[in-house]
Amino acid sequence: MIGVGKHSQPDGPRWWLPALMGLLVVLVGGFGVSRIVSSNAGPTTADGSATASAAPRSSSSASSSPSSSAASSSPTSPAPTTSAGDPQARAALVACVTTSAAAEPLVQAASTGIGHWKTHVQGQTDIESGARSKIDVKVNSWAPTRKAGPGDAAAFDKARREYAAAPGCSPPQTPATGDLGARLSACDAHQRALTAYVDTASAAMADWAAHLTEMGAHADGHVDSVQAQEAWLSRWRAAPTHITPFLAAETALRAAPACTA
């Protein structure tokens, strides 16, 4: 039998194999953990240290949250827009204001001219009532008004032609609301009062112009004194028929709302 040394082991199962296998398991396990850690770590810096990794994108970050998607999909209130009727209403308002302005010279001419006609008529009324003498009326009422008469008629005719050329004042096809509607309503009321004023003023001024023509015919010798006096008394009696409505229309126009843009 061969002798063995102090540390020799007998043949048979190797006692060191289990230890070697355990060491291998430890080494392999450590290497795997190291790979996992390094795979989760961010990129390394120049000195080899790992930087913080970016947070992984979740599937929910790629899509909107329920609340945000609902907000984006829900309809928003439309911005206020000008209705189709507004441009027409604004154009109608401009036309009304232009027409109202064109009537101002006519109102001035009518007020002056019919004022002279009233004075002329009142003179005969004062004579009939005995309030004044015929000489007083001739000198202080008839003479100055007769002198101003042709200018009255010319000014009124010119102003009336200019007013007739104005665009007029008519409501828009689509009713307006708000401030624009209120202004159009005021212009409509003003125009109705103005129309009545122009109509009555035209009638009264026609009487004044006719009497001026009659006085001219008498002065030229085409009509004798008796005929002239009869024509005048007839016109004096009929004068209130047109003067009275004019005065009422004048008062109504002053009380009517202004037509402004």
Side-chain angles (χ1 to χ4, degrees):
M1 184 174 182
I2 300 173
V4 292
K6 181 178 181 179
H7 298 292
S8 298
Q9 295 294 333
D11 293 337
R14 301 288 195 266
W15 62 267
W16 45 268
L17 283 178
L20 179 59
M21 293 298 294
L23 178 60
L24 288 175
V25 170
V26 171
L27 289 176
V28 172
F31 180 75
V33 172
S34 176
R35 289 292 301 271
I36 293 173
V37 171
S38 62
S39 66
N40 288 334
T44 57
T45 60
D47 60 0
S49 60
T51 60
S53 60
R57 295 184 179 180
S58 64
S59 59
S60 62
S61 64
S63 60
S64 301
S65 62
S67 59
S68 62
S69 61
S72 62
S73 62
S74 62
T76 57
S77 300
T81 58
T82 302
S83 66
D86 282 349
Q88 295 177 358
R90 294 183 189 283
L93 179 61
V94 170
C96 287
V97 173
T98 302
T99 301
S100 177
E104 291 178 4
L106 185 150
V107 171
Q108 180 61 44
S111 177
T112 301
I114 297 173
H116 290 154
W117 175 229
K118 280 175 55 186
T119 300
H120 208 84
V121 170
Q122 185 63 40
Q124 186 64 44
T125 302
D126 292 343
I127 292 172
E128 296 293 328
S129 67
R132 298 169 65 191
S133 68
K134 190 170 184 178
I135 295 298
D136 178 20
V137 170
K138 280 186 174 181
V139 173
N140 298 306
S141 295
W142 288 349
T145 55
R146 178 180 178 180
K147 182 180 180 179
D152 293 341
F156 182 79
D157 288 344
K158 179 177 182 293
R160 187 168 54 178
R161 288 194 302 269
E162 293 175 349
Y163 174 73
C169 181
S170 301
Q173 294 180 352
T174 302
T177 58
D179 182 65
L180 183 57
R183 289 178 184 273
L184 280 168
S185 179
C187 284
D188 180 64
H190 182 89
Q191 183 61 40
R192 283 187 276 109
L194 182 59
T195 298
Y197 179 93
V198 173
D199 290 344
T200 56
S202 298
M205 282 298 296
D207 289 347
W208 181 216
H211 181 58
L212 289 169
T213 300
E214 291 166 352
M215 287 191 292
H218 178 237
D220 293 341
H222 299 295
V223 178
D224 62 32
S225 296
V226 175
Q227 291 175 319
Q229 183 65 11
E230 289 178 352
W232 161 238
L233 290 176
S234 176
R235 195 163 295 282
W236 165 70
R237 295 186 187 98
T241 303
H242 292 152
I243 290 178
T244 301
F246 167 76
L247 296 177
E250 186 177 47
T251 300
L253 181 60
R254 289 173 179 168
C259 180
T260 58

